[in-house]
Amino acid sequence: MGTRFEAVFWGIDESFARSVFSEMDEQISQLEKDLSHYDEKSPVTAVNKNAGVKEVPVPQTVIKALKTCRAHFEATHGLFDITMSERREYEPAGSSASNNRSGFTQLEFSEENRTVHVKDRGAQVDFGAIGKGMALELVEDIIDKYEIENILVSFGESSILTRGHHPHGKKWQIGISDIHDDTVHRTSFDMQNHALSTSGHTPRNEGNLRHPKTGRPPSTYQTVSVLASSPVESEVLSTALLLAGQREERRILQNYNPDRAVRIKYDRGGRFVDVHDINHSLLS
Amino acid sequence: MSQDLPSRKEFLKQLSFITGTGLLAGSVPGVSFADSLNKRNFSANDRVRVGMIGVGSRGRYHTIVMNRIPQAEITSVCDNYPPYYERAKELTDGKADAYWDYRELLEKDQPDAVVIATPPHEHAQMTIDALESGAHVLCEKNMANTVDRTLDMYEAHKKTGNKLLIGMQRRFDIKYLQALKMIEEGFLSEITQIRAWWHRNGDWRRSVPDKDFPDWELDPEYPSLEHKLNWRLYREYSRGLVTELGTHQLDVANWFLDTLPLSVRGTGSINYWEDGREVYDNINLVYSYPKGVNVIYDSLISNKHYSLEEQVMGPEGTLEMQDGKYYYEKPPPAPGILQLISDIEDDLFGVTPLGGDSWNPQRAADTSGNYIVEEYPLPNRAVLQDEAFIESVRQGEELPDAAENGVYASVAVILGHEAMLQDKVIPWPEEKLAKRIDGYRIRPEFKS
């Protein structure tokens, strides 16, 4: 995932905690080898290099990841899209060319043969928007296997998984920092057995995320944080809701049931504007 | 990363800050200067009277900057090329006395200080004459085209006690000073390699007018106006890319490594701009420093995709000075996680500021890195350099090791050119420097 992975355990023997952490690290490293598009030797890199050329054999992990992504691509009405086309951003929204190049229409994979083929030479597969969620699912399995009751796991601070509670409280409380000032938090989430994911369009990472259909980044600086029971779901929703307009927001949330989703907006200068709860506003 | 930057005023006040770790500072003991020929003591309201020698491209810039420094007054200007001579008068609104010959400027105007921005083959004599006339000197790089002439300039500075600053602007860049602080605090653990380059895409020529200038004769040292204006392209006057561009970056290498090269090897050629020029249009050099550290340098003028950069690398991280960014090799713990652990240890429960936008990965060239200095815009380093020079003259304080640092960077690039020309490994002239620079001691690597 190319980011830092940290875990805070309490109430268990340190050497036991270290061995559990090592197992998490090993499994995540393996997942990264399979899904990374930075690693020259990864199957995803091979898939991307052969875009528009031929199908490529891949391990089962990649097929499983693609199935998950396809399900979320459909559930988010195409807003969660792990395929990127270099040309897409130059085309007007809704044009037949742009629609043809968006999402899974460019991707063919066979569970039986374990092969993947990206049909458009300009399209690429990037699991960046879901990789951390998938890794945290592996972490969940290990937590359950060793019956760890209290733990906080952080993936690059944007993806957090918790079990149980803080040793001096009944929950874990996580603050969402201002994009310019780490010491100020704009809202906080109460977490027990939860996953929390934050995606952002900020001055520091402008252009990282683009609407799959229009090719445009969000119109304003903002972050979206989603609290859910599933780390993959919180990951997918934070990305999709960041890109979604109001109408798209409603349609997406008909297919999901997050515990809480919060959008924090900033002005053009990156100064804080407001915070609002997305799912609360939809319910009201 | 801690940011404890001086304000512009503090920066100029604390001139010693400029030295950083002070290369060889310990080996340049309290030198007892000969009595300075410049007897002037400045009071609070006195302005430094400055003569501008050479008002071509760089000299024009210095003139504009000096015009804006309240503590400086340009009293004389000099250039022996008619368009630049007229430009110099215009830039000073005709208030400064204009001269064709720098010797006349020194004799008649007797400035407190001069700025020399002429081609490098002229630097040595002009600097020596200026220092001996009693003026302090800010001379553009490269000091000279040979090691001996470079040292002649240094010795004139020592003999007269007048100040000599060479235009290595990066020494006055707050970003570089902050990076040096990070290095001293162990950000890289140690420097294992520096890679620097300067790439442009263009012929590096200045246009030569076809008109004549009445009553003006070209200096006899130039066979044509082309040679006078495009001196950077001819070996008689310049060593090309390495002395004109590389000198800045080799100065950074010496500064950050806090030592000097042991030797240099390299190769250069003219492989694209085959237009009669004599200096290489692409150069590649490797400088060997103590402890097995290499500084890899290249410059070319047929591709500018990678522009210019100084990458300072160590086992813990990378600094990219032009981009003004630093990168970790290994991710540091998240501050929020550290706070959480601290709270647990202190029996506290509260909000952990953790769930922000994704922390940027720090493992490949395409990662975004962190800014060495957060506040922008920073003061212009070239302006700060000129201000610091004027302040040092007014305060009567030496900019520590300024002349020595200029010598070392100049020698480094002169040797680099020799290495390419001779296709040989050229050793650092340790013994020669030890003989001619006060306090310079022969390093263990050179003792047989």
Side-chain angles (χ1 to χ4, degrees):
Chain A
M1 314 302 139
T3 189
R4 62 186 154 205
F5 170 63
E6 292 161 299
V8 177
F9 300 77
W10 67 269
I12 61 170
D13 178 69
E14 184 180 336
S15 62
F16 176 53
R18 286 190 184 280
S19 64
V20 172
F21 186 79
S22 291
E23 190 171 330
M24 292 173 178
D25 191 30
E26 274 171 32
Q27 294 218 16
I28 291 167
S29 296
Q30 183 55 51
L31 183 73
E32 181 169 22
K33 278 180 188 163
D34 289 344
L35 299 188
S36 172
H37 66 282
Y38 288 115
D39 182 350
E40 279 295 304
K41 293 176 183 169
S42 83
V44 171
T45 301
V47 167
N48 287 338
K49 278 185 178 169
N50 287 291
V53 180
K54 63 178 181 182
E55 63 183 19
V56 173
V58 294
Q60 180 59 29
T61 331
V62 176
I63 298 293
K64 186 182 167 196
L66 286 173
K67 281 179 70 180
T68 304
C69 290
R70 173 175 280 172
H72 288 293
F73 174 73
E74 287 163 5
T76 60
H77 303 278
L79 275 189
F80 180 79
D81 186 351
I82 58 152
T83 65
M84 306 178 296
S85 167
E86 286 174 14
R87 278 171 283 180
R88 197 186 302 152
E89 62 189 275
Y90 302 117
E91 289 154 3
S95 74
S96 58
S98 86
N99 287 336
N100 284 342
R101 288 202 183 91
S102 70
F104 285 83
T105 55
Q106 298 307 310
L107 195 66
E108 287 179 349
F109 59 92
S110 161
E111 271 193 272
E112 193 180 344
N113 299 327
R114 288 195 189 171
T115 55
V116 180
H117 183 203
V118 177
K119 289 184 289 184
D120 178 3
R121 202 168 52 180
Q124 301 277 282
V125 172
D126 174 3
F127 284 107
I130 197 171
K132 284 184 277 188
M134 289 178 168
L136 287 178
E137 277 192 339
L138 294 176
V139 169
E140 275 187 318
D141 291 344
I142 294 168
I143 289 171
D144 292 343
K145 180 171 134 188
Y146 292 107
E147 298 177 348
I148 308 289
E149 290 180 9
N150 300 292
I151 187 172
L152 179 146
V153 179
S154 166
F155 238 129
E157 292 90 81
S158 64
S159 301
I160 293 157
L161 179 76
T162 57
R163 286 288 179 273
H165 57 90
H166 187 287
H168 309 302
K170 294 180 179 175
K171 57 203 170 190
W172 301 91
Q173 272 195 317
I174 302 300
I176 307 297
S177 302
D178 184 278
I179 57 173
H180 283 313
D181 187 353
D182 291 346
T183 61
V184 174
H185 59 267
R186 294 299 176 190
T187 190
S188 64
F189 286 83
D190 293 344
M191 297 181 70
Q192 288 176 319
N193 299 336
H194 288 107
L196 174 67
S197 169
T198 301
S199 294
H201 170 65
T202 63
R204 284 285 167 90
N205 68 359
E206 241 172 312
N208 280 2
L209 283 174
R210 289 174 180 275
H211 194 292
K213 290 173 187 165
T214 65
R216 295 193 185 113
S219 55
T220 57
Y221 292 137
Q222 56 183 289
T223 63
V224 171
S225 302
V226 175
L227 185 74
S229 54
S230 153
V232 166
E233 191 173 309
S234 65
E235 205 77 31
V236 165
L237 275 181
S238 67
T239 301
L241 292 175
L242 184 78
L243 298 169
Q246 278 191 342
R247 195 178 298 171
E248 289 168 321
E249 209 172 71
R250 285 172 183 276
R251 292 178 68 202
I252 290 167
L253 287 173
Q254 284 168 0
N255 295 328
Y256 293 90
N257 188 26
D259 291 275
R260 197 178 161 210
V262 175
R263 190 185 305 275
I264 305 176
K265 287 189 177 174
Y266 299 85
D267 67 15
R268 284 184 180 179
R271 289 174 291 268
F272 169 71
V273 175
D274 65 19
V275 181
H276 86 271
D277 276 58
I278 296 172
N279 46 347
H280 285 185
S281 64
L282 289 175
L283 290 171
S284 61
Chain B
M1 198 54 62
S2 64
Q3 303 255 312
D4 187 17
L5 302 175
S7 69
R8 185 190 192 87
K9 200 173 170 186
E10 287 165 344
F11 180 86
L12 291 169
K13 206 184 275 181
Q14 299 165 12
L15 294 173
S16 59
F17 183 59
I18 291 162
T19 57
T21 55
L23 168 67
L24 303 177
S27 59
V28 185
V31 178
S32 59
F33 291 122
D35 282 343
S36 171
L37 292 171
N38 191 314
K39 303 294 183 190
R40 187 173 177 197
N41 290 317
F42 290 87
S43 63
N45 296 323
D46 280 348
R47 299 167 81 191
V48 176
R49 299 173 64 257
V50 182
M52 310 300 295
I53 301 176
V55 194
S57 171
R58 196 69 201 158
R60 175 177 178 268
Y61 184 77
H62 279 296
T63 307
I64 292 168
V65 171
M66 282 293 171
N67 268 333
R68 292 178 185 168
I69 298 176
Q71 294 79 14
E73 177 189 9
I74 299 177
T75 52
S76 53
V77 290
C78 171
D79 205 293
N80 64 0
Y81 177 54
Y84 296 167
Y85 179 86
E86 292 304 323
R87 170 200 280 175
K89 289 201 290 186
E90 279 171 30
L91 286 171
T92 52
D93 294 329
K95 290 175 188 166
D97 296 334
Y99 299 92
W100 290 96
D101 187 322
Y102 78 94
R103 284 163 292 210
E104 205 180 342
L105 176 149
L106 294 174
E107 191 184 327
K108 291 187 177 168
D109 188 47
Q110 296 191 354
D112 299 314
V114 294
V115 176
I116 298 174
T118 55
H121 72 291
E122 296 182 320
H123 286 170
Q125 198 55 53
M126 287 177 168
T127 297
I128 292 165
D129 289 345
L131 289 167
E132 288 182 347
S133 79
H136 303 287
V137 175
L138 166 54
C139 179
E140 264 304 331
K141 47 74 197 168
N142 202 40
M143 285 177 76
N145 290 330
T146 66
V147 173
D148 282 330
R149 287 305 268 163
T150 301
L151 290 169
D152 289 346
M153 293 166 74
Y154 174 78
E155 285 174 344
H157 150 68
K158 283 299 184 192
K159 186 178 139 201
T160 61
N162 289 325
K163 299 176 205 332
L164 174 60
L165 174 66
I166 308 303
M168 305 294 179
Q169 312 151 11
R170 283 161 176 75
R171 297 255 176 185
F172 301 85
D173 188 323
I174 287 173
K175 191 170 60 185
Y176 284 71
L177 292 163
Q178 175 66 10
L180 185 68
K181 190 173 163 219
M182 289 169 66
I183 292 168
E184 289 170 348
E185 288 172 351
F187 167 66
L188 300 171
S189 176
E190 59 186 290
I191 298 174
T192 50
Q193 186 179 96
I194 294 178
R195 192 164 56 172
W197 65 86
W198 199 320
H199 297 177
R200 291 176 172 178
N201 195 345
D203 62 9
W204 214 33
R205 285 190 164 279
R206 290 174 177 142
S207 60
V208 180
D210 49 12
K211 67 174 182 180
D212 289 331
F213 301 104
D215 303 324
W216 177 75
E217 283 183 22
L218 181 67
D219 348 4
E221 63 182 308
Y222 296 110
S224 70
L225 188 55
E226 150 70 12
H227 287 75
K228 180 173 176 62
L229 295 183
N230 282 310
W231 52 266
R232 293 188 298 188
L233 307 183
Y234 299 97
R235 277 201 195 133
E236 181 73 15
Y237 321 112
S238 169
R239 301 294 182 252
L241 295 172
V242 71
T243 48
E244 300 310 316
L245 305 179
T247 184
H248 286 299
Q249 294 166 301
L250 264 299
D251 179 50
V252 171
N254 291 343
W255 186 24
F256 282 9
L257 287 166
D258 195 24
T259 185
L260 300 170
L262 302 173
S263 64
V264 56
R265 68 200 73 197
T267 183
S269 64
I270 300 172
N271 70 3
Y272 187 74
W273 296 104
E274 294 171 356
D275 56 2
R277 72 186 58 207
E278 295 168 358
V279 301
Y280 301 133
D281 64 7
N282 76 100
I283 62 171
N284 303 271
L285 295 162
V286 179
Y287 287 85
S288 300
Y289 280 73
K291 297 182 186 172
V293 176
N294 285 335
V295 172
I296 301 160
Y297 185 76
D298 81 284
S299 183
L300 80 161
I301 48 175
S302 55
N303 180 294
K304 62 176 169 52
H305 183 70
Y306 288 105
S307 187
L308 75 159
E309 188 54 271
E310 296 109 40
Q311 294 177 327
V312 187
M313 292 171 272
E316 301 291 329
T318 302
L319 290 156
E320 291 193 344
M321 298 313 307
Q322 289 301 316
D323 277 356
K325 287 186 169 181
Y326 63 90
Y327 303 83
Y328 290 102
E329 281 290 295
K330 294 173 193 164
I337 291 286
L338 291 177
Q339 185 191 315
L340 175 61
I341 292 166
S342 170
D343 285 354
I344 292 172
E345 287 171 350
D346 294 341
D347 294 343
L348 297 173
F349 173 63
V351 176
T352 304
L354 198 58
D357 193 8
S358 196
W359 180 78
N360 290 322
Q362 304 295 343
R363 62 174 185 169
D366 58 353
T367 57
S368 58
N370 304 286
Y371 288 98
I372 294 168
V373 176
E374 294 284 350
E375 300 89 16
Y376 276 88
L378 291 173
N380 182 308
R381 61 193 181 199
V383 175
L384 276 180
Q385 171 190 264
D386 288 13
E387 288 180 340
F389 173 65
I390 293 299
E391 274 307 295
S392 78
V393 171
R394 291 183 76 246
Q395 293 174 19
E397 283 186 28
E398 203 66 46
L399 288 165
D401 300 330
E404 286 82 359
N405 294 332
V407 169
Y408 302 143
S410 297
V411 170
V413 293
I414 291 166
L415 297 189
H417 182 257
E418 281 302 308
M420 293 186 287
L421 207 60
Q422 297 181 31
D423 195 18
K424 281 184 181 168
V425 177
I426 305 290
W428 186 254
E430 191 81 354
E431 287 190 12
K432 181 177 275 192
L433 295 183
K435 276 182 193 161
R436 296 185 67 179
I437 293 187
D438 291 314
Y440 191 105
R441 293 194 176 86
I442 292 179
R443 290 172 286 173
E445 292 87 347
F446 289 90
K447 288 178 180 165
S448 52

